[in-house]
Amino acid sequence: MSSLHIYNSLTRQKELFVPISAPYVGLYVCGPTVYSDVHLGNVRTFSSFDMIYRYLVFSGYKVRYVRNITDAGHLTNERGEGVNRMESQAKLESLEPMEIVQKYTVGFRDICNLFHLKPPTIEPTATGHILEQIEMIETLIHNGFAYEINGSVYFDVKAFNAKHTYGELSGRNIDELIAGYRDLDGQDEKRNSIDFALWKAASPAHIMQWKSPWGMGFPGWHLECSAMSTKYLGKQFDIHGGGMDLKFPHHECEIAQNVGSCGMAPVRYWMHTNMLNFNGQKMSKSLGNSILPIELITGNHALLDKAYSPMSVKFLFLQSHYSSELDINIKGLQDAEKGLKKLMDARANALLVKGQSMVETEIDKSIVALAALCKANMDDDFNTAKTIATLFEMATIVNSLKDGNIKDDQVSPSSIGMLQQTFETYLIDVFGLSPLTENQDEKLDDVLQILIQIRKEAKVKKDFATSDRIRNELLEKGIQLKDEKDGNVSWSL
Ligand code: AMP
Ligand code: ZN
């Protein structure tokens, strides 16, 4: 049985992870709203869930990982007012709303590739699931938890709360919420200011709209996640995740919609990742303090002293627990870059060192204990920070072996295998880091200089078969070697 424990935001405690039907695990993560470029804050959240997904797979689970694309009906105000973000961005960029959706969906996937984030197993879009959303609204109306007015449909929070509980996840009380909203709202067609939109009637000018039993309109944002998680993972599934800022109202409303339509709490373990801050403030597009991935890799941002690889920033993320706030600054990035290099070097060196002992030694015992500790750390609510600290301890052993401070006969071959395997498992498979921390062009140049040198030596020995072969085979790959007048050789793509 697995010993994985997860901090459940709903019960506010760490619990043993027991899937509904092991080895299958259903994981739903709220995806991006595709009306602008994702920033590093968004990347932190998606990286955290990538690590969680990878660790579940590593632990032997068969995971159905659903992450949606919000491409419709996300209003600037979560209570169902304001403007549709896709439409306003479309006007700004003189594009069709669906061109905005396509542009930023492709951009998001490029960023995921750049940061080595695995694609979800299902990536459904809100616009592709209008029928499912309409059906859920009809059920909610039928069950007495939603009402139609002027072509819009709202969730009736008070009616729901009379039979179930609203506010459990975020620990909010509905009377306080109503009191808080009253001042802000003014006149409203809703029965109560706390009610939220399931469907909004659209004016003829509104571009993104669909036919429904209540007239032309578009769905509320919270509804899509309820409809799509139910469709692909069932009425009850294992893990639902998202950034901390989505806990209220988004996830609270999701729970109410699911309970109201399916009669049961949808999620066994709610997981919330914490925010990436910049100068102590949540990084966000609207606050104007966001760093885009392109700014990171070009170094073209006021915060940055130079370009950083996506792997360095990912390592920075992993050095803190997913549920802790993290402030991004140059010192942190510099340290992360150095730390990642140190571990990647240890991983490479672990392949070069040897063990000769035929009996178990003290060093063997430490290696076995450290490998077990990596797993224990990860099983303790995915504690990547502690796992990295443990990998640094293993790196120290590798360096001592390399420098001769630990001799070959003080360690057995199987422990060397364990060192190699542990680096591979955590750095590559679970954390999704890449050994290529340096500029890829520099690496290519390094490799070509080796080939150029071998070709030179072949020529000196009059081994023209080898020298020609190097030139011709590189040419077939689109790389041209040029013999310069001064005897040097240059290359071009
Ligand atoms: P959005 O596209 O705004 O819905 O955000 C996509 C995901 O990024 C959500 O899960 C948010 O909670 C998360 N997110 C937004 N800002 C930050 C931030 N500064 N740090 C970490 N996660 C964030
Ligand atoms: Zn969602």
Side-chain angles (χ1 to χ4, degrees):
M1 194 175 88
S2 155
S3 48
L4 174 63
H5 284 70
I6 295 182
Y7 179 83
N8 188 347
S9 310
L10 186 66
T11 57
R12 295 173 185 78
Q13 59 190 17
K14 246 184 236 175
E15 293 171 356
L16 179 68
F17 179 57
V18 184
I20 296 169
S21 46
Y24 300 99
V25 169
L27 166 67
Y28 187 93
V29 174
C30 293
T33 307
V34 282
Y35 74 106
S36 66
D37 291 315
V38 285
H39 55 68
L40 290 186
N42 306 126
V43 174
R44 182 185 184 202
T45 285
F46 295 124
S47 287
S48 298
F49 285 107
D50 180 66
M51 172 277 293
I52 287 164
Y53 170 52
R54 284 166 178 269
Y55 189 65
L56 288 168
V57 171
F58 166 74
S59 302
Y61 294 115
K62 298 190 183 325
V63 187
R64 178 174 291 171
Y65 174 19
V66 184
R67 189 183 62 207
N68 64 307
I69 296 277
T70 296
D71 60 352
H74 186 174
L75 299 180
T76 44
N77 176 327
E78 78 257 345
R79 271 174 289 140
E81 298 119 17
V83 294
N84 179 310
R85 288 187 159 133
M86 239 58 76
E87 286 200 16
S88 50
Q89 191 64 22
K91 282 189 193 125
L92 210 66
E93 296 193 32
S94 300
L95 293 171
E96 274 286 316
M98 271 305 172
E99 282 181 301
I100 291 291
V101 164
Q102 178 68 2
K103 176 177 169 183
Y104 291 109
T105 302
V106 169
F108 171 64
R109 292 197 180 127
D110 287 346
I111 300 303
C112 289
N113 288 335
L114 197 64
F115 284 84
H116 292 191
L117 308 186
K118 287 193 182 255
T121 54
I122 303 179
E123 196 168 37
T125 61
T127 54
H129 296 78
I130 300 293
L131 280 181
E132 287 82 354
Q133 294 176 74
I134 290 175
E135 270 173 26
M136 194 169 255
I137 299 173
E138 285 177 320
T139 310
L140 286 168
I141 295 176
H142 177 261
N143 292 352
F145 300 130
Y147 56 92
E148 186 256 341
I149 186 154
N150 303 330
S152 292
V153 183
Y154 296 97
F155 190 92
D156 190 335
V157 176
K158 268 194 167 172
F160 175 80
N161 201 52
K163 289 199 177 154
H164 307 280
T165 315
Y166 180 85
E168 227 175 328
L169 179 68
S170 56
R172 303 200 185 201
N173 167 305
I174 81 157
D175 294 328
E176 279 166 22
L177 283 170
I178 291 173
Y181 281 159
R182 194 171 292 140
D183 295 335
L184 305 169
D185 268 306
Q187 283 303 313
D188 203 316
E189 62 183 8
K190 293 185 280 185
R191 285 183 191 163
N192 279 293
S193 50
I194 192 179
D195 294 349
F196 55 90
L198 298 168
W199 188 264
K200 282 294 272 184
S203 68
H206 205 99
I207 307 170
M208 293 179 105
Q209 51 177 289
W210 292 265
K211 230 188 235 167
S212 81
W214 317 284
M216 296 301 288
F218 54 94
W221 168 42
H222 312 309
L223 188 64
E224 67 180 84
C225 289
S226 287
M228 295 192 281
S229 62
T230 307
K231 171 158 180 170
Y232 296 110
L233 297 172
K235 290 179 180 173
Q236 200 173 52
F237 56 96
D238 298 298
I239 305 174
H240 190 316
M244 207 75 103
D245 56 339
L246 299 188
K247 207 190 250 187
F248 185 86
H250 184 55
H251 292 158
E252 202 68 83
C253 295
E254 267 190 54
I255 295 175
Q257 290 164 159
N258 281 73
V259 174
S261 61
C262 306
M264 61 177 87
V267 176
R268 297 276 286 263
Y269 302 85
W270 278 95
M271 292 188 73
H272 290 97
T273 54
N274 216 324
M275 296 292 108
L276 182 68
N277 294 341
F278 184 11
N279 289 335
Q281 234 183 355
K282 173 190 162 187
M283 185 178 285
S284 98
K285 189 173 180 273
S286 53
L287 288 172
N289 68 349
S290 57
I291 304 177
L292 300 179
I294 185 74
E295 293 167 334
L296 179 84
I297 56 180
T298 56
N300 191 11
H301 188 283
L303 164 83
L304 302 169
D305 57 335
K306 66 178 192 75
Y308 286 89
S309 79
M311 292 302 111
S312 299
V313 79
K314 192 165 162 180
F315 191 73
L316 174 74
F317 294 163
L318 291 161
Q319 277 180 303
S320 67
H321 191 255
Y322 74 81
S323 66
S324 316
E325 283 187 52
L326 172 66
D327 207 87
I328 192 165
N329 53 50
I330 293 187
K331 170 91 173 62
L333 281 167
Q334 287 172 345
D335 289 349
E337 190 173 60
K338 280 189 211 134
L340 176 60
K341 180 164 182 341
K342 194 168 166 190
L343 288 188
M344 283 301 176
D345 286 350
R347 169 180 173 258
N349 286 329
L351 297 170
L352 302 174
V353 296
K354 294 205 165 31
Q356 308 278 1
S357 173
M358 301 311 281
V359 291
E360 193 185 39
T361 66
E362 286 307 307
I363 307 284
D364 289 331
K365 283 185 196 154
S366 320
I367 292 173
V368 171
L370 289 170
L373 190 56
C374 283
K375 184 169 183 305
N377 291 330
M378 290 302 289
D379 277 345
D380 183 12
D381 195 26
F382 308 95
N383 199 325
T384 54
K386 283 194 178 162
T387 306
I388 287 175
T390 309
L391 291 175
F392 275 122
E393 288 188 52
M394 293 183 113
T396 305
I397 296 180
V398 172
N399 291 340
S400 299
L401 274 160
K402 185 171 159 258
D403 300 341
N405 294 329
I406 298 177
K407 304 276 178 275
D408 291 4
D409 59 3
Q410 285 176 271
V411 57
S412 65
S414 65
S415 296
I416 298 290
M418 190 173 277
L419 279 173
Q420 295 166 348
Q421 189 56 51
T422 308
F423 283 121
E424 204 60 24
T425 295
Y426 292 99
L427 292 180
I428 308 299
D429 299 342
V430 176
F431 296 163
L433 294 164
S434 145
L436 286 178
T437 55
E438 291 159 47
N439 188 323
Q440 303 250 9
D441 290 346
E442 281 173 28
K443 284 265 174 208
L444 180 60
D445 186 57
D446 288 348
V447 172
L448 285 168
Q449 293 308 330
I450 294 171
L451 287 171
I452 287 169
Q453 189 57 32
I454 294 172
R455 180 168 168 262
K456 257 190 203 162
E457 286 165 14
K459 272 187 172 176
V460 170
K461 285 191 239 159
K462 304 221 177 312
D463 176 6
F464 297 113
T466 301
S467 64
D468 287 350
R469 185 174 163 209
I470 291 174
R471 194 196 54 217
N472 294 340
E473 289 194 12
L474 283 176
L475 205 53
E476 275 172 30
K477 301 281 174 217
I479 298 170
Q480 194 172 8
L481 296 186
K482 198 168 157 211
D483 293 306
E484 305 286 355
K485 285 195 191 101
D486 58 6
N488 282 330
V489 180
S490 63
W491 63 269
S492 60
L493 287 173

